[in-house]
Amino acid sequence: MYEQKKQKELYETSKTLLKKKDIPNKGAAAKEVADLHEVIVYHEWRYYVLNEPVVSDFEYDSLYKRLEAIEQAYPEMITPNSPTQRVSNDLTADFPTVAHLIPMLSLDNSYNAEDLKDFDERIHNLAMIPQEEEVDYVVEPKFDGGSIALVYENDKLVRGATRGNGVEGDDITNNMRALRSIPLTAKFSDYGIHKVELRGEALIRLDRFDNINKKREVEEKSVFANPRNAATGALRMKNPKETAARGLEAFIYQLGYATDKDGNDVLNKFPTHHEGIEMLAALGFKVPTIERKLCKNIEEVSQFCLDWQEKRDGYDYEIDGMVVKVNQLAIQEKCGYTSHHPRWAIAFKFKAKQATTKLLDVEFQVGKIGQITPVAKLEPVALAGVTVSSVSLHNEDFITSKDLHYNDTVLVERAGDVIPYIVKALSELRDGSEKAITYPKNCPSCNTILTQQEGEAAWRCENYTCEAQSLRRLIHHVSKHAMNIDGFGEKYIVRFNELGWLNSLADIYRLDYDKISELEGFGQRSADNLKAAIDTAKQNGIARLLYGFSIPHIGRSVSKTFAAEIEDIRDLKDWTEEQIVNLHDIGPKVAKELLVFFNKQENLDLLDELDSLGVNMKRLDSEMKQEAITDGVFSGKTILFTGKLQLMSRTDAQAKAKGAGAKAVSAVSGNLDILVVGEKAGSKLKKAQALGTVEILSEAEFLERLG
Ligand code: IVH
């Protein structure tokens, strides 16, 4: 898309523009706006299409903000294709229906090498090619997201639509404009194309998808079952800002239609599919790259498909197969279409991520805050490489809404890293042996009557001394994000609990290590290690301790917020509801649960007991509220230290950098601004030099800059 020389020039222009502060006069502004357009589009391409940014997020944001500021000063300079105009403020009331320029067809399916061989034979027959001659194919992923069709006219994006019924879809132009992997302008005219329709798929990267669901869980919103649902939902959001915030990316995989100024079909300007896709890449579109292969014959196709079947779980996006396309357009034309699919293409479907099995039993588990979680026990079934024998049923509503019964045949799905879940019961396979799943009225562990809080789906056992609950609380208390007691796993907790050594949280801090060392499978060394880990944990900050109490709604981040406000964890007993909800990001639910906990005498006694056992109750300096430093010499910069530092310790260096506004990162990437090198710096230095965009400082230079 950009030659190396051009890239260097754009990079340097960016750095020059970044130094500018005042708003230019009108004459200079026009030139600067044009430059800003160009560099911002370039950086968006590096980031959203290539995934290899060359400036930091901060620098990109600064360029963007500068463009916004100049546009605000000279509104007449705002053009519809300015990078600032991607997201409009207009909410879409509904999505008008639009007709695709040519229908968006489906694909025929294949499942193994034999099916592919049959397909190849059919192609030879349809195109009247002797079987011994080889046909070229392009193989690319079958992306599992939401299909889209984009129309460009006169080099401008004029329309974006969903697949709909294949003939007509929803007009989602505003939402498509918000995706930075979709260029607002592209020089199709350089190829003699006036109007073109592109087909592609809008997707959410799997790591982003996980984050979206984690966030939704914290916000107590329903989570998405799979990335496809999250993506198709995002396509049709009323507010384009929300579409953009979901992090959708658009991969383009097909040229559907192309005409010149006189309306003549010019699709065949590119004799092959491969060349068509290369043109799109050159125009700045995101197209499959390493995941796409031009194969000389069907054997190569099969091999590539099978390789990807193995690799799919390590891939960044959800794919459910590969798509095999005849490369030569002339051969495609001879093969033609059915009303359902092109005869020149076929999907190679990966092994099912869905399977059916029997629901044998339901176990009702008690969680650390007494919530009851039903877990289905299944007849073990192989699903995309793992054996599944139990899945969570979440809560009573889930069971009712899916109308699940004991002995039902159920459809189980596992997508990406997503944990397996039950899609539905196959009611048509019932034979009368199925029985209703009865939800317990009493706690399966302590028999206390279960209660349901208003607006919550989960039933809870409110007995704080319930054995199952206290065991879960103990396990949580020592876990990584709570007190982080290294080597103290669930197995030991259960064992010590059975031996009667561990009943309350305080017991953790008064274990008898002599007795432990005599336990079978333990020994002196493990006992010493455990003691050392527990002694270290006693010095933890109070945010970990607070989180480690398993108070409903008090998660890690809420615990940190509180820790920053108090000196001793016991100060919280004097807080009022009003004081609590006044804290940023803290709501009434948290306030209620915190008050309940700190108003119970037994909990205050527990705190005193922990104190007397040597557990730290006071806020650490590192837990104090941190104001972002915006005027330091390194404000907004990312920094990394490598090699052996001679003039200061690494922790010291990082603290100094932080004090001057920098953010420490752990790897060299396009996002890195500054690398400070000590002695014997190795691969990180090389990588940074190769990037050419990282400022490299010696230790002395670093200290000098700090003044
Ligand atoms: S080509 C005329 N290529 O799969 C060509 N489709 O069952 C027809 N899909 O909804 C489509 N990845 O959105 C093609 N690399 C790819 C694809 C792909 C995903 C989707 C497509 C359609 C479905 C067809």
Side-chain angles (χ1 to χ4, degrees):
M1 159 104 180
Y2 296 92
E3 280 175 10
Q4 211 171 356
K5 206 171 120 216
K6 179 75 185 166
Q7 295 207 37
K8 192 160 187 327
E9 182 190 311
L10 289 169
Y11 179 76
E12 270 153 20
T13 313
S14 311
K15 291 282 166 177
T16 316
L17 289 167
L18 279 168
K19 290 196 190 107
K20 302 200 177 211
K21 293 231 154 57
D22 301 329
I23 298 292
N25 64 33
K26 203 164 173 183
K31 159 91 174 87
E32 198 181 329
V33 164
D35 284 349
L36 282 164
H37 277 199
E38 204 182 10
V39 297
I40 291 172
V41 168
Y42 167 65
H43 294 309
E44 288 179 349
W45 174 74
R46 294 271 341 177
Y47 187 93
Y48 294 99
V49 175
L50 300 191
N51 234 340
E52 283 173 352
V54 288
V55 291
S56 65
D57 293 359
F58 176 77
E59 286 172 318
Y60 168 80
D61 289 342
S62 309
L63 291 166
Y64 191 92
K65 281 187 192 136
R66 179 152 178 88
L67 177 59
E68 275 183 328
I70 302 178
E71 284 180 341
Q72 203 179 359
Y74 308 105
E76 66 278 18
M77 291 190 189
I78 303 177
T79 57
N81 289 323
S82 161
T84 61
Q85 302 302 303
R86 278 193 176 269
V87 183
S88 66
N89 278 322
D90 313 333
L91 296 191
T92 316
D94 58 351
F95 300 99
T97 306
V98 287
H100 299 304
L101 299 186
I102 55 159
M104 292 178 80
L105 295 181
S106 204
L107 287 167
D108 196 9
N109 289 330
S110 67
Y111 299 92
N112 49 45
E114 213 168 297
D115 293 348
L116 287 175
K117 212 143 176 60
D118 291 347
F119 166 71
D120 182 52
E121 207 177 297
R122 270 199 310 277
I123 297 292
H124 281 81
N125 290 338
L126 287 165
M128 293 191 294
I129 300 169
Q131 294 291 342
E132 57 279 8
E133 252 175 55
E134 290 185 333
V135 172
D136 288 352
Y137 296 100
V138 174
V139 187
E140 53 201 41
K142 186 169 185 314
F143 295 111
D144 198 9
S147 322
I148 50 168
L150 306 174
V151 179
Y152 285 78
E153 208 169 336
N154 250 337
D155 292 345
K156 290 190 190 72
L157 173 67
V158 292
R159 194 177 87 185
T162 61
R163 178 173 188 271
N165 60 13
V167 178
E168 294 178 322
D170 287 342
D171 185 332
I172 49 162
T173 311
N174 282 343
N175 288 352
M176 292 301 92
R177 284 177 61 91
L179 306 193
R180 290 192 168 107
S181 51
I182 297 181
L184 294 177
T185 61
K187 289 285 249 172
F188 284 104
S189 52
D190 284 355
Y191 298 86
I193 297 174
H194 175 68
K195 187 171 185 181
V196 60
E197 189 171 61
L198 311 176
R199 269 81 203 273
E201 201 89 352
L203 299 170
I204 297 178
R205 233 177 43 207
L206 289 171
D207 56 347
R208 273 176 183 267
F209 171 73
D210 283 343
N211 286 338
I212 292 173
N213 265 353
K214 273 186 200 137
K215 201 162 152 230
R216 288 179 76 90
E217 233 164 52
V218 172
E219 291 166 355
E220 298 191 7
K221 290 186 186 157
S222 62
V223 295
F224 293 109
N226 52 46
R228 183 187 349 110
N229 288 4
T232 51
L235 284 180
R236 303 180 80 264
M237 303 263 229
K238 300 235 180 292
N239 183 350
K241 279 189 189 144
E242 288 178 28
T243 301
R246 236 353 122 80
L248 277 182
E249 296 173 41
F251 271 99
I252 305 298
Y253 50 67
Q254 192 70 33
L255 268 165
Y257 167 103
T259 49
D260 64 13
K261 269 204 158 12
D262 304 318
N264 300 315
D265 183 355
V266 288
L267 254 190
N268 50 11
K269 274 211 155 179
F270 308 97
T272 64
H273 174 68
H274 179 74
E275 286 162 280
I277 297 296
E278 290 291 304
M279 168 195 71
L280 294 175
L283 287 175
F285 290 89
K286 193 175 179 84
V287 301
T289 50
I290 50 151
E291 332 63 351
R292 176 168 52 100
K293 186 173 180 192
L294 176 56
C295 298
K296 281 198 298 295
N297 53 42
I298 203 71
E299 285 72 31
E300 240 182 68
V301 167
S302 292
Q303 196 52 54
F304 193 63
C305 288
L306 293 170
D307 288 350
W308 270 91
Q309 172 148 295
E310 294 305 308
K311 282 197 282 194
R312 74 190 287 204
D313 277 342
Y315 188 51
D316 287 345
Y317 304 88
E318 184 68 16
I319 53 179
D320 56 349
M322 302 302 280
V323 181
V324 183
K325 297 173 182 175
V326 167
N327 190 33
Q328 304 281 345
L329 262 47
I331 304 180
Q332 285 189 4
E333 222 165 280
K334 285 190 190 148
C335 296
Y337 298 81
T338 72
S339 60
H340 172 262
H341 60 259
R343 288 202 180 90
W344 44 262
I346 197 161
F348 176 89
K349 300 279 271 190
F350 290 151
K351 267 194 222 122
K353 287 196 164 190
Q354 282 194 337
T356 55
T357 186
K358 283 258 170 198
L359 192 163
L360 302 175
D361 198 5
V362 179
E363 216 175 81
F364 292 90
Q365 297 180 350
V366 188
K368 65 182 193 293
I369 54 167
Q371 78 279 30
I372 306 293
T373 308
V375 177
K377 298 288 148 187
L378 306 174
E379 209 167 80
V381 61
L383 194 56
V386 298
T387 303
V388 178
S389 56
S390 74
V391 297
S392 171
L393 300 177
H394 310 292
N395 52 48
E396 190 179 18
D397 288 355
F398 185 88
I399 297 176
T400 328
S401 69
K402 306 242 168 198
D403 189 28
L404 300 177
H405 288 67
Y406 292 114
N407 218 27
D408 257 341
T409 305
V410 288
L411 182 65
V412 192
E413 180 171 312
R414 178 173 171 262
D417 289 337
V418 183
I419 33 181
Y421 75 103
I422 292 189
V423 181
K424 61 176 182 181
L426 302 174
S427 53
E428 61 276 24
L429 297 184
R430 286 188 182 142
D431 61 8
S433 65
E434 301 75 21
K435 290 209 170 58
I437 296 171
T438 41
Y439 220 80
K441 297 260 174 292
N442 300 67
C443 172
S445 168
C446 70
N447 215 29
T448 302
I449 295 178
L450 302 177
T451 52
Q452 201 175 27
Q453 307 246 335
E454 219 186 284
E456 280 184 22
W459 287 91
R460 265 175 50 183
C461 160
E462 304 241 23
N463 172 16
Y464 194 76
T465 56
C466 164
E467 256 182 52
Q469 255 186 73
S470 13
L471 191 63
R472 285 284 130 204
R473 276 198 304 271
L474 285 164
I475 294 168
H476 169 73
H477 187 83
V478 305
S479 67
K480 184 161 168 229
H481 294 301
M483 294 302 270
N484 191 22
I485 303 182
D486 208 18
F488 206 3
E490 186 167 335
K491 244 177 35 205
Y492 293 153
I493 301 256
V494 173
R495 195 158 163 205
F496 293 178
N497 177 262
E498 280 167 3
L499 287 164
W501 300 349
L502 262 187
N503 292 307
S504 84
L505 294 185
D507 290 343
I508 294 173
Y509 302 95
R510 55 174 162 234
L511 285 169
D512 183 336
Y513 299 102
D514 289 337
K515 276 209 269 177
I516 291 176
S517 69
E518 285 159 17
L519 269 187
E520 204 184 303
F522 241 86
Q524 193 60 46
R525 223 170 102 194
S526 330
D528 288 348
N529 287 345
L530 184 62
K531 180 176 187 311
I534 291 176
D535 284 345
T536 309
K538 285 182 181 174
Q539 310 308 319
N540 280 340
I542 53 177
R544 282 181 178 277
L545 185 60
L546 182 59
Y547 176 58
F549 285 133
S550 302
I551 307 170
H553 300 300
I554 313 276
R556 277 154 70 195
S557 117
V558 169
S559 301
K560 282 185 190 156
T561 306
F562 280 115
E565 300 290 333
I566 50 179
E567 277 177 19
D568 185 299
I569 193 166
R570 285 163 294 197
D571 293 350
L572 285 172
K573 71 176 193 299
D574 304 321
W575 278 49
T576 63
E577 183 173 355
E578 199 186 347
Q579 258 176 310
I580 300 175
V581 293
N582 267 341
L583 289 180
H584 183 60
D585 271 351
I586 305 281
K589 271 190 188 169
V590 169
K592 183 175 158 241
E593 296 292 352
L594 195 87
L595 289 174
V596 168
F597 185 88
F598 281 92
N599 278 328
K600 276 199 182 134
Q601 190 53 47
E602 67 217 57
N603 292 335
L604 301 178
D605 293 345
L606 170 68
L607 282 163
D608 289 339
E609 210 178 346
L610 290 173
D611 188 12
S612 67
L613 289 165
V615 177
N616 171 50
M617 298 280 133
K618 305 263 184 247
R619 177 182 60 202
L620 306 180
D621 286 350
S622 58
E623 294 184 298
M624 301 235 282
K625 224 198 268 175
Q626 303 216 341
E627 307 284 347
I629 298 162
T630 50
D631 56 353
V633 275
F634 295 134
S635 283
K637 302 269 186 209
T638 55
I639 197 163
L640 176 67
F641 297 88
T642 188
K644 184 152 179 32
L645 302 184
Q646 304 294 309
L647 306 174
M648 61 205 138
S649 75
R650 181 155 312 196
T651 329
D652 249 14
Q654 279 169 342
K656 282 190 200 323
K658 232 170 149 184
K663 189 174 142 212
V665 294
S666 56
V668 179
S669 74
N671 279 332
L672 179 66
D673 296 313
I674 301 168
L675 182 75
V676 180
V677 286
E679 262 189 16
K680 295 208 180 112
S683 63
K684 286 192 175 137
L685 174 59
K686 278 207 190 108
K687 203 167 162 198
Q689 283 167 331
L691 272 177
T693 55
V694 181
E695 189 176 358
I696 296 167
L697 298 179
S698 68
E699 272 180 90
E701 282 168 332
F702 167 71
L703 290 172
E704 200 176 301
R705 287 274 283 276
L706 283 173

